[in-house]
Amino acid sequence: MVHVWQHFLTTRKLRVSLFVSLFFLLVSLGDARTRRTQSVTPSTEEIVETYSKYYNYVELTGRLQSLAQSYPHIAALSSIGQSVEGRELWVMRITKDPNADAPGRPKFKYVGNMHGDETVSRQVLVYLVEYLLTKYGEEPRITELVNTTDIYIMPSMNPDGFEKSKEGDCGGESGGRNNAKDMDLNRSFPDQYDGTSTNPDKTPEVMAVIRWIQEKKFVLSGNLHGGTVVASYPFDDSASHQRQGHYSQSADDSLFRHLALVYSQHHDVMKTGQPNCPDTMDETFKDGITNGAQWYDVPGGMQDYNYLYGNCLEITMELSCCKYPPAYELQKEWDLNRESLLAYIEQVHIGVHGYVKEAVDGTALSDVSIVVESIRHNLTTGEYGEYYRLLLPGTYNITAVASGYTSMTVQGVQVMEGKATELNFTLASVVSEAAGRTTASTSSFTSTKDPEISTTTITTNFFTSTQNNNSPPVKPNKKKRPVQPNEFRHHNFADMELFLRKYSSEFPSIAHLYSVGRSVEDRELYVMVISDNPTVHEHGEPEFKYIANMHGNEVVGRELMLNLIEYLCLNYGTDQEVTKLVNSTRIHIMPSMNPDGYEVAMEGEVKGYRGRNNSNNFDLNRNFPDQFVTITEPRQPETIAVMNWLKSIPFVLSANLHGGSLVVNYPYDDDKKGRSQYSQSPDDKVFQQVSRAYSQENPVMHNGHPCEDLYPEEYFKDGITNGASWYNVPGGMQDWNYLNTNCFEVTIELGCVKYPMAKELPKYWEQNRRALLQFIHQVHSGVKGTVSDINDGSGIPNASISVEEIDHNISTARTGDYWRLLAPGTYSITASAHGYKPVRTYATVSSDGVEVVDFRLTRIHSDPNGHPSEGPQPTQNPSEKEFQSLIKDLSLGQGLEQLMKSTATESSFRYRRYKELSAFMRGLTLNFPKITSLQSLGQSVEFRTIWALEISNRPAESEPSEPKLRFEAGIHGNAPVGTELLLEFAAFLCINYGKNPAITRLINETRIVIVPSINPDGRELAIEKQCTSTQGLSNAHGKDLDTDFFGNASQRVVEAQPETRAMMDLILDKGYTLSVALDGGSLVATYPYDKPVQTVENEGTLKYLASVYANNHPKMHLGDTGCSNNVGNIPDGVMRAAERQSHMGSMKDFSMDFGHCPEITVYTGCCFYPPAEQLATLWAENKKALLSMLVEVHKGVRGVVRDRSGKPIVGAIIVLNGGVRVFTQEGGYFHALLAPGTHNIEAVADGYQQQRQEVVVSSYEAASSIVIEFDMDNNIFGLPREFVVASAAASMTALVVTACIIWCVCAAKSNRQKDGFHRLRQHRDDYEDEIRLTSMGSKKSLLAHEFQDESESDEETLYANKI
């Protein structure tokens, strides 16, 4: 980079340009996707292009800005996003009046430098921008092209990779091909064959381009690369993914070949088909073009994505053999490609083009499918109803298809060479054409999302029969007719409440009244359940629900539900249909979801909004989490209550009753584009089936003309409609049901008048009573059954039921039963569950009833070497089985809810200061001495004791086999809610010990340590009702204790605070299994780490543990904090701690890194120090979640490590999934929490062979105890012990024998030379010195020659490496 900057500094004009560029970058920070380039003062002199250098990012930015400023009438520069490293993805738009969108000009784009080290395209596209701008008004060809085409040019899609690449690197050795996250951008787009998904974090460049493609509806595109010289066209891959040689043909294959030839035949090298690239001299391409997959398979490529999902035809041009040739070759490359680039842009004007308009008022129709007969690829119209369909010369039959309109086909359309043929369509609404007829011409499909769908025009009969087509006509019943409701009036809340209580008390064997929550104004949200055993879920019996009056002023549904309750109760036991339904179905009826809104609505209102919303003025049917849109409005009490209700019962089918029209509306209710277009769910056929089941029983609805006086043009074929096709509803309840539960829900509009007069109510009952019953019958269609364990026959909860080719799974209920709605047909169905071998079978569903399909799954176990094996589980003693059954019961369904109801205690909530807190904890030990032990961890700065209370059946004894659970609160003194919750929790456990069997067993099997106030000094300073005050947050030294936990001395500047030291000693004292810390100021559960780290080992488990708490909190799991200090929703109420507020030295991180214990922090509410009156509510919200932690700590994996003799091994390392470590404690015991799934466990101990096992963890089962037995490590230096010992013995023997031989030889020589040595000794004095010197010289010489090393010394080598 040094020579670049020197060049800038020595060139005055470039210095000015650089200053302008940098100034612009500083002042234009913000969302680059939505803003245009801000105006800055241009250079006084135009930069002259030399075609002799590459532009780095700063230079490229300056060059493009300068051109945009110089030609504002035809050029506009914008950014569509940013790269990984924050560089803008610049796009130059070149057209007449570039700052306005107007129809009539097809959109074209070039994208270059997708691979950062393929750089010719980057420069060539800058030259093209300059050429188009400078020649506009001078050359007629360029002037016409710019005036008639909307041209977008992106010189660099991968600016980060370019900065890493090196000039002259022809083979791409510098590593700049991929983006800064090392992702190949041309392998990262959604793929038609293998479903390649786009990772927003790793490929922001791809995400930006996808948004750009979807927004602009480009017609033609070119993707410029390097590495050879050829034009490649779709498809780029095939279903087989054969590496080379497989021609993957698209529906527009001939057109793509033509477009590729246009480019290649204007390129002097490319058209020869012989690139003569040095590394592939034998590679040739006929006419300079190739099918992508035939050349080589490229899954996830951009050109295929454009064609399949973007309305756009794109080819890929490889421009040069050398990826990053020297700059002096740029002039040559520009000359070679200039004509090809221009000729290819001109191809955007071939084929046919035109507009699609509405017949009556001429309104433009967007998203209309343009279908060309015999070409299985459709495109859709744009915002102004415009379309551009590229076609080769010929004769075509072309059809325009739109939902709700009669298709229009034009036969024999002539397409000539050159300019496109204009062909406009005018579509008439089906409503106006079908009036008074029995048939209408319509398209055979309404969704245009799949470009491969072909179309035919068919005639569809509109049945007016009131009977279900799938069943014979109902004959008149000569027996006693069903009793009909005889009181029709509007019921206010008090009247409705009395009505419900009356029927619940009069028919207790089949009717049970309960409430799921309260409205804003504290009215109960009542539900009447009607079944032969109404209070419990019966195995094999489906759960059904009706919800009405969601909009308070839409009241017909409310009254119909009361009528239905009366009808079912009065006719049970006497009417065969009613009796069968009640005996086989658990029917839940909520007459009013919005009782507050109803109370202010006005009778006689037809179309108004008074009372529609709840008392907080929020539309409840826009208040649910949405799959496409983030709902920012605070979640309402009614919404929260219903969401929790739906999560607690395995509903199968549901209807949401509304008013204002007459139609059954099915999912999806919105789409990702926010447009009113068909948004198809995976179960579209099922939804249409159940919708028709209702509409066919309502003659007026089925007719399809619901409100001719109010909405004369509104028409719904068969009286049903896709929600988003009608109008877009983000945040709707029916979509949330389908996406988040097992339940299929539709929305039924019951009448055109929202609040009709009471005298009209009998008419509504008569129109809908058969439909209401017929819809309940639909819950008994499809398949149902039980998924059970083949070994003991027990039902498997949360098993997944998947249907091949339908991307929507459902899960089994608590006892393993399931219901899967399906349309008639044959299906491949698979049942799978954690720890079991999946089972697949085929089932044929008929229209006559439900098909029973049971699954029996075999458990997968692991042998000691980690290989999966099938067979019986290890034997367990009865007590262990009983405890595992308890954990399972508490983990499923209403287990914890029932436990809370059975352990209700009287509580008097208030805030306790330090003295009262200490007295309270001493009181617990005095009143419950057998299960409690109180100890001091240390003292605060102001000498207040930091108490720790242990609750266990043997608190003074060591029980290493039991999991140890730590609760702590009050690290921030200004957030004392957690302190009070833990004190109440401690009292709750102690009081119920010995009284409640579940609580007693949990305490007997767990060691619970509660530290209610870590920062007692700060707590004394805090002030009640101060929701945002930081007074008391720190300790008496002003230190935030949650920034004071450092395990390494090198990280610590000053000595730890006394409170910190006390907690550190506790954390390090003995092995804890789980820790839960309570804090305030938000409503979220966070997991490690607080410090900023890119990756977190075992993050899945940590996130899962936090989600367990959040899911058992009535509000937290909804993700809507409702706090002013939080923006937007938090998915599932769980987030990594650093994402909330990153900081170092936290207790959570210390617990993870040094205590080897996962810790989650729960923020219990928005207000740090709420009024004491709110403590009871906060306790009610957190009680179940706290208990869930007491259950969760018994899951995961636990066991003992010992040697073959049975001796326990203390200090062995248990490695989880190759990362996180835990250590065995006294007795060799260990316990580690893990997310549900299959995990690898390795056990390591000095002197023993490493052991591996695979374990399966369930979300509802207690951890099974495993035994890991170590063998002595028989390897020495990596070789078997026996081999090493034998080799050593042999070596010693050989050495002894050799020594003996040498001794014998020397002895013999000694005898022969005895006389010589005698004579030598006589002259010893003369020769002694000489002998000594000679001997020393010999040794020195020997050493010098034997060990001489001419390489550099260690010091020299180290120094050289540093240089």
Side-chain angles (χ1 to χ4, degrees):
M1 291 298 291
V2 175
H3 70 281
V4 176
W5 286 107
Q6 288 175 342
H7 180 71
F8 278 145
L9 294 173
T10 56
T11 308
R12 178 179 179 276
K13 287 180 284 187
L14 292 182
R15 287 204 307 271
V16 173
S17 176
L18 176 60
F19 174 79
V20 171
S21 303
L22 293 175
F23 175 78
F24 176 82
L25 288 173
L26 289 172
V27 301
S28 60
L29 293 175
D31 188 0
R33 298 179 195 146
T34 58
R35 53 156 167 74
R36 295 291 181 190
T37 307
Q38 297 182 16
S39 177
V40 296
T41 305
S43 175
T44 56
E45 297 184 51
E46 188 77 30
I47 298 176
V48 178
E49 185 57 68
T50 62
Y51 307 101
S52 62
K53 64 168 292 184
Y54 288 98
Y55 297 143
N56 62 25
Y57 173 72
V58 173
E59 294 169 317
L60 175 68
T61 300
R63 184 75 176 117
L64 294 175
Q65 290 170 357
S66 176
L67 290 169
Q69 293 155 15
S70 298
Y71 300 92
H73 58 299
I74 56 170
L77 181 66
S78 65
S79 169
I80 65 165
Q82 291 184 330
S83 66
V84 171
E85 294 179 348
R87 294 181 175 91
E88 304 292 349
L89 303 179
W90 294 118
V91 172
M92 184 72 85
R93 183 185 185 189
I94 301 175
T95 189
K96 187 177 180 181
D97 193 10
N99 293 311
D101 282 321
R105 283 172 286 183
K107 288 180 167 58
F108 176 95
K109 67 178 167 71
Y110 273 131
V111 176
N113 199 210
M114 186 181 200
H115 289 147
D117 60 351
E118 298 170 14
T119 60
V120 170
S121 61
R122 178 181 173 114
Q123 289 303 125
V124 163
L125 289 182
V126 175
Y127 304 155
L128 177 62
V129 169
E130 182 196 36
Y131 188 82
L132 293 172
L133 298 181
T134 57
K135 299 300 181 182
Y136 180 79
E138 296 181 7
E139 293 188 8
R141 179 192 185 189
I142 301 301
T143 303
E144 182 184 4
L145 193 60
V146 171
N147 285 342
T148 59
T149 318
D150 201 357
I151 304 169
Y152 295 78
I153 298 176
M154 176 190 283
S156 181
M157 183 178 166
N158 186 2
D160 298 349
F162 176 84
E163 297 297 317
K164 189 176 179 181
S165 304
K166 296 179 181 178
E167 186 175 341
D169 180 6
C170 290
E173 303 298 327
S174 61
R177 172 187 177 91
N178 295 348
N179 75 350
K181 291 281 189 180
D182 198 28
M183 297 293 291
D184 188 330
L185 301 184
N186 208 32
R187 304 295 188 279
S188 299
F189 281 79
D191 188 83
Q192 63 176 323
Y193 296 116
D194 60 9
T196 303
S197 60
T198 302
N199 188 322
D201 296 328
K202 292 187 176 181
T203 56
E205 301 91 346
V206 171
M207 292 302 298
V209 170
I210 286 176
R211 286 192 296 268
W212 186 41
I213 291 170
Q214 294 297 328
E215 176 190 349
K216 295 299 181 184
K217 281 188 178 286
F218 293 104
V219 178
L220 183 60
S221 173
N223 181 12
L224 278 54
H225 283 250
T228 188
V229 185
V230 68
S232 165
Y233 54 89
F235 288 126
D236 249 342
D237 67 340
S238 65
S240 66
H241 290 301
Q242 180 178 320
R243 181 171 176 78
Q244 287 181 310
H246 182 93
Y247 196 108
S248 186
Q249 182 173 310
S250 72
D252 281 291
D253 188 69
S254 297
L255 176 59
F256 274 121
R257 287 177 56 84
H258 164 77
L259 293 170
L261 281 168
V262 167
Y263 199 96
S264 71
Q265 296 308 300
H266 289 88
H267 191 291
D268 289 341
V269 176
M270 193 180 293
K271 67 182 180 182
T272 67
Q274 297 178 333
N276 293 322
C277 296
D279 56 341
T280 53
M281 292 296 293
D282 297 333
E283 190 172 57
T284 60
F285 305 99
K286 187 177 185 302
D287 297 324
I289 68 173
T290 182
N291 173 262
Q294 187 177 39
W295 184 19
Y296 64 95
D297 195 82
V298 178
M302 183 165 69
Q303 70 175 13
D304 287 6
Y305 176 84
N306 272 272
Y307 180 62
L308 293 169
Y309 306 106
N311 243 37
C312 177
L313 280 75
E314 178 173 284
I315 67 172
T316 302
M317 301 85 158
E318 305 278 347
L319 302 185
S320 61
C321 292
C322 181
K323 292 187 176 183
Y324 198 157
Y328 58 76
E329 294 190 9
L330 291 175
Q331 177 72 64
K332 178 192 73 174
E333 296 296 344
W334 168 237
D335 293 339
L336 282 171
N337 286 280
R338 179 173 57 248
E339 182 55 33
S340 294
L341 291 166
L342 295 173
Y344 185 73
I345 298 175
E346 290 171 332
Q347 294 302 299
V348 79
H349 294 284
I350 67 172
V352 295
H353 73 95
Y355 296 90
V356 181
K357 300 179 181 179
E358 208 274 337
V360 177
D361 57 10
T363 304
L365 297 178
S366 62
D367 294 311
V368 177
S369 287
I370 304 300
V371 183
V372 180
E373 187 177 296
S374 77
I375 300 179
R376 293 174 57 84
H377 182 78
N378 306 332
L379 54 81
T380 57
T381 57
E383 181 182 359
Y384 298 97
E386 78 280 10
Y387 75 93
Y388 304 87
R389 200 349 169 156
L390 304 188
L391 292 169
L392 295 176
T395 303
Y396 300 90
N397 300 330
I398 304 176
T399 303
V401 181
S403 177
Y405 293 86
T406 302
S407 304
M408 178 180 177
T409 301
V410 179
Q411 308 280 345
V413 179
Q414 295 291 322
V415 175
M416 312 298 291
E417 287 192 20
K419 296 297 182 184
T421 300
E422 184 172 355
L423 176 63
N424 297 320
F425 291 92
T426 302
L427 301 188
S429 170
V430 178
V431 174
S432 58
E433 288 210 349
R437 302 185 187 180
T438 58
T439 64
S441 178
T442 184
S443 166
S444 64
F445 70 96
T446 55
S447 174
T448 60
K449 288 188 175 183
D450 187 350
E452 297 298 315
I453 295 177
S454 62
T455 255
T456 56
T457 301
I458 63 170
T459 300
T460 305
N461 291 318
F462 294 115
F463 295 96
T464 57
S465 169
T466 63
Q467 306 301 329
N468 189 329
N469 295 330
N470 296 329
S471 60
V474 177
K475 296 180 181 180
N477 191 349
K478 295 182 180 180
K479 297 181 181 180
K480 180 183 177 182
R481 296 191 176 214
V483 178
Q484 300 296 330
N486 54 20
E487 277 193 46
F488 294 95
R489 66 176 186 275
H490 290 296
H491 294 73
N492 61 27
F493 181 78
D495 193 3
M496 180 185 75
E497 185 177 41
L498 287 171
F499 176 95
L500 295 172
R501 290 172 60 187
K502 171 187 173 183
Y503 277 89
S504 178
S505 63
E506 289 185 0
F507 299 90
S509 62
I510 61 168
H512 170 67
L513 183 65
Y514 66 97
S515 172
V516 301
R518 291 175 177 269
S519 67
V520 174
E521 295 181 356
D522 215 31
R523 292 182 175 93
E524 298 284 358
L525 302 178
Y526 282 118
V527 175
M528 181 76 88
V529 58
I530 298 176
S531 183
D532 59 341
N533 194 355
T535 59
V536 296
H537 169 74
E538 292 185 280
H539 182 90
E541 187 171 283
E543 306 274 353
F544 174 93
K545 65 180 167 72
Y546 275 127
I547 298 179
N549 200 210
M550 186 182 201
H551 290 147
N553 65 335
E554 298 170 12
V555 304
V556 172
R558 177 182 174 119
E559 301 307 325
L560 286 180
M561 289 301 94
L562 298 181
N563 297 151
L564 181 61
I565 290 170
E566 183 179 0
Y567 181 86
L568 293 174
C569 289
L570 294 177
N571 290 288
Y572 179 75
T574 58
D575 180 82
Q576 184 177 358
E577 180 184 30
V578 169
T579 305
K580 183 178 179 180
L581 275 179
V582 172
N583 286 343
S584 61
T585 321
R586 195 167 178 230
I587 306 166
H588 302 252
I589 299 173
M590 177 184 280
S592 181
M593 184 179 165
N594 185 5
D596 298 350
Y598 177 89
E599 295 300 309
V600 299
M602 300 293 292
E603 185 174 355
E605 189 173 78
V606 178
K607 299 171 63 175
Y609 290 89
R610 180 183 174 88
R612 172 187 175 93
N613 295 347
N614 75 344
S615 288
N616 287 334
N617 199 29
F618 287 104
D619 187 331
L620 298 180
N621 208 32
R622 307 294 190 279
N623 197 235
F624 285 77
D626 190 86
Q627 62 177 323
F628 301 120
V629 178
T630 299
I631 304 301
T632 58
E633 290 81 4
R635 207 81 66 222
Q636 296 302 292
E638 299 90 346
T639 308
I640 292 171
V642 169
M643 289 173 70
N644 288 326
W645 176 44
L646 303 190
K647 288 282 192 177
S648 66
I649 297 174
F651 289 111
V652 180
L653 181 62
S654 171
N656 179 14
L657 307 182
H658 282 248
S661 188
L662 192 62
V663 67
V664 182
N665 162 24
Y666 56 89
Y668 289 129
D669 251 341
D670 65 343
D671 78 331
K672 60 184 177 182
K673 295 181 181 179
R675 297 176 179 173
S676 295
Q677 61 184 18
Y678 203 107
S679 185
Q680 181 173 305
S681 74
D683 281 292
D684 194 64
K685 289 182 180 179
V686 175
F687 278 117
Q688 290 193 42
Q689 174 182 290
V690 299
S691 298
R692 285 194 180 92
Y694 193 99
S695 71
Q696 287 169 355
E697 297 290 347
N698 185 322
V700 180
M701 181 185 290
H702 189 262
N703 184 45
H705 299 276
C707 310
E708 294 181 286
D709 294 337
L710 296 174
Y711 313 106
E713 296 182 1
E714 198 167 57
Y715 170 75
F716 304 106
K717 183 180 180 295
D718 292 341
I720 68 174
T721 182
N722 173 263
S725 181
W726 184 16
Y727 63 95
N728 212 267
V729 178
M733 182 165 68
Q734 71 176 14
D735 287 7
W736 190 88
N737 269 266
Y738 179 66
L739 294 167
N740 295 277
T741 73
N742 285 348
C743 187
F744 289 48
E745 180 171 284
V746 301
T747 302
I748 302 175
E749 304 280 346
L750 294 167
C752 302
V753 178
K754 292 186 176 184
Y755 201 147
M757 304 302 291
K759 64 182 180 181
E760 301 291 326
L761 293 177
K763 176 188 72 174
Y764 287 101
W765 169 250
E766 188 58 33
Q767 288 177 353
N768 288 281
R769 64 181 180 86
R770 287 298 317 151
L772 289 168
L773 295 173
Q774 188 59 243
F775 189 74
I776 300 175
H777 280 296
Q778 300 307 301
V779 80
H780 296 282
S781 63
V783 295
K784 72 173 184 178
T786 300
V787 181
S788 59
D789 189 309
I790 197 171
N791 187 45
D792 59 12
S794 63
I796 302 174
N798 297 329
S800 180
I801 304 297
S802 58
V803 181
E804 192 172 291
E805 297 184 355
I806 299 179
D807 186 20
H808 182 79
N809 299 343
I810 59 103
S811 57
T812 57
R814 181 181 180 184
T815 57
D817 47 348
Y818 76 91
W819 306 263
R820 208 319 176 176
L821 301 183
L822 289 169
T826 300
Y827 300 90
S828 171
I829 305 175
T830 301
S832 57
H834 287 308
Y836 290 89
K837 185 179 179 181
V839 172
R840 186 179 73 164
T841 189
Y842 287 89
T844 299
V845 176
S846 70
S847 59
D848 298 329
V850 66
E851 183 77 8
V852 178
V853 182
D854 294 325
F855 294 91
R856 302 180 70 197
L857 306 188
T858 303
R859 268 191 188 273
I860 299 175
H861 303 295
S862 299
D863 61 24
N865 295 320
H867 302 299
S869 61
E870 298 169 17
Q873 299 181 51
T875 57
Q876 299 170 320
N877 61 57
S879 177
E880 187 174 359
K881 285 186 177 180
E882 181 184 333
F883 183 66
Q884 290 197 348
S885 177
L886 172 64
I887 295 299
K888 185 174 182 177
D889 290 341
L890 294 176
S891 300
L892 294 172
Q894 299 294 305
L896 282 175
E897 293 281 355
Q898 293 171 0
L899 175 60
M900 290 199 303
K901 291 177 182 177
S902 66
T903 55
T905 57
E906 293 295 328
S907 303
S908 177
F909 289 97
R910 63 185 182 280
Y911 288 110
R912 299 172 175 90
R913 294 288 178 177
Y914 170 73
K915 287 184 179 181
E916 190 177 0
L917 180 149
S918 299
F920 183 86
M921 298 191 75
R922 290 193 190 96
L924 288 174
T925 61
L926 293 172
N927 285 279
F928 307 98
K930 293 183 179 180
I931 61 169
T932 60
S933 173
L934 185 64
Q935 61 173 315
S936 168
L937 301 180
Q939 291 188 319
S940 66
V941 174
E942 295 180 346
F943 303 105
R944 292 182 176 92
T945 300
I946 301 170
W947 296 110
L949 178 73
E950 181 177 345
I951 302 176
S952 176
N953 61 335
R954 287 189 285 270
E957 301 177 21
S958 174
E959 295 181 277
S961 62
E962 294 182 356
K964 199 170 181 181
L965 175 60
R966 186 173 71 241
F967 291 99
E968 56 215 13
I971 193 169
H972 295 133
N974 65 328
V977 169
T979 298
E980 300 306 324
L981 293 181
L982 290 187
L983 292 176
E984 183 61 30
F985 187 53
F988 169 83
L989 294 176
C990 292
I991 290 170
N992 283 283
Y993 183 79
K995 298 176 183 176
N996 182 278
I999 295 295
T1000 303
R1001 189 63 192 270
L1002 286 172
I1003 291 176
N1004 287 344
E1005 300 290 340
T1006 322
R1007 299 186 68 192
I1008 307 163
V1009 176
I1010 297 177
V1011 184
S1013 183
I1014 300 173
N1015 181 10
D1017 297 350
R1019 167 70 183 83
E1020 296 298 301
L1021 297 175
I1023 303 173
E1024 187 175 346
K1025 301 181 183 180
Q1026 296 296 309
C1027 287
T1028 59
S1029 173
T1030 58
Q1031 184 172 338
L1033 180 146
S1034 306
N1035 73 345
H1037 283 160
K1039 180 68 175 178
D1040 181 344
L1041 298 179
D1042 203 37
T1043 63
D1044 195 45
F1045 286 79
F1046 290 99
N1048 295 326
S1050 60
Q1051 295 177 304
R1052 183 170 294 286
V1053 179
V1054 297
E1055 182 63 27
Q1057 298 296 307
E1059 300 92 341
T1060 307
R1061 175 52 57 194
M1063 288 304 299
M1064 290 170 70
D1065 291 342
L1066 175 69
I1067 293 169
L1068 296 173
D1069 181 26
K1070 291 179 181 177
Y1072 284 90
T1073 309
L1074 175 63
S1075 176
V1076 180
L1078 303 186
D1079 207 336
S1082 188
L1083 189 63
V1084 66
T1086 66
Y1087 60 90
Y1089 282 91
D1090 281 301
K1091 59 187 176 185
V1093 289
Q1094 289 186 345
T1095 58
V1096 177
E1097 285 185 339
N1098 213 25
E1099 182 170 11
T1101 293
L1102 299 172
K1103 187 174 183 179
Y1104 169 75
L1105 293 172
S1107 70
V1108 171
Y1109 195 102
N1111 287 336
N1112 284 285
H1113 190 287
K1115 297 178 181 178
M1116 192 178 293
H1117 73 94
L1118 304 177
D1120 182 18
T1121 67
C1123 304
S1124 59
N1125 59 337
N1126 287 278
V1127 180
N1129 295 325
I1130 300 170
D1132 302 319
V1134 173
M1135 66 192 307
R1136 194 197 296 183
E1139 295 175 356
R1140 180 182 179 274
Q1141 185 177 6
S1142 175
H1143 64 280
M1144 303 295 290
S1146 75
M1147 182 168 64
K1148 181 192 295 97
D1149 294 359
F1150 182 86
S1151 180
M1152 279 288 295
D1153 292 339
F1154 297 96
H1156 305 288
C1157 169
E1159 178 170 298
I1160 64 170
T1161 302
V1162 175
Y1163 296 86
T1164 59
C1166 303
C1167 184
F1168 282 121
Y1169 201 156
E1173 298 79 45
Q1174 295 183 15
L1175 286 175
T1177 301
L1178 290 165
W1179 166 245
E1181 290 174 353
N1182 287 276
K1183 180 180 177 182
K1184 180 182 175 183
L1186 290 168
L1187 282 170
S1188 73
M1189 296 290 97
L1190 193 51
V1191 174
E1192 194 65 31
V1193 77
H1194 288 280
K1195 299 175 187 176
V1197 59
R1198 66 186 179 94
V1200 63
V1201 179
R1202 64 193 184 196
D1203 62 18
R1204 287 292 183 184
S1205 67
K1207 178 184 177 182
I1209 300 174
V1210 179
I1213 304 173
I1214 307 298
V1215 184
L1216 309 175
N1217 298 316
V1220 176
R1221 291 172 167 81
V1222 296
F1223 298 88
T1224 56
Q1225 304 296 318
E1226 178 186 349
Y1229 291 103
F1230 71 91
H1231 192 147
L1233 299 181
L1234 292 166
T1238 302
H1239 301 271
N1240 295 311
I1241 293 180
E1242 299 176 43
V1244 181
D1246 289 339
Y1248 295 93
Q1249 289 183 348
Q1250 183 173 332
Q1251 298 292 316
R1252 291 184 177 88
Q1253 284 202 24
E1254 187 178 81
V1255 297
V1256 177
V1257 175
S1258 168
S1259 63
Y1260 56 86
E1261 290 184 336
S1264 297
S1265 182
I1266 64 172
V1267 176
I1268 300 176
E1269 288 190 341
F1270 275 125
D1271 286 327
M1272 293 296 294
D1273 192 347
N1274 289 320
N1275 290 341
I1276 300 176
F1277 304 122
L1279 299 173
R1281 179 184 297 270
E1282 294 82 357
F1283 175 79
V1284 175
V1285 171
S1287 299
S1291 300
M1292 291 298 294
T1293 303
L1295 184 62
V1296 170
V1297 172
T1298 302
C1300 291
I1301 293 172
I1302 294 173
W1303 183 82
C1304 292
V1305 171
C1306 290
K1309 286 185 178 181
S1310 176
N1311 290 332
R1312 286 197 302 271
Q1313 297 177 358
K1314 202 172 201 179
D1315 293 341
F1317 275 104
H1318 178 73
R1319 286 193 296 270
L1320 181 62
R1321 288 192 199 100
Q1322 293 175 353
H1323 304 282
R1324 178 173 182 178
D1325 295 338
D1326 298 334
Y1327 291 97
E1328 190 173 27
D1329 293 338
E1330 184 178 346
I1331 291 171
R1332 186 183 300 113
L1333 290 171
T1334 304
S1335 176
M1336 290 175 65
S1338 299
K1339 290 178 181 177
K1340 193 171 185 179
S1341 176
L1342 176 65
L1343 288 170
H1345 285 86
E1346 286 294 319
F1347 300 96
Q1348 185 174 1
D1349 184 359
E1350 296 182 358
S1351 67
E1352 298 166 317
S1353 67
D1354 291 344
E1355 292 81 359
E1356 291 170 334
T1357 303
L1358 179 62
Y1359 183 72
N1361 288 337
K1362 286 183 177 179
I1363 295 176

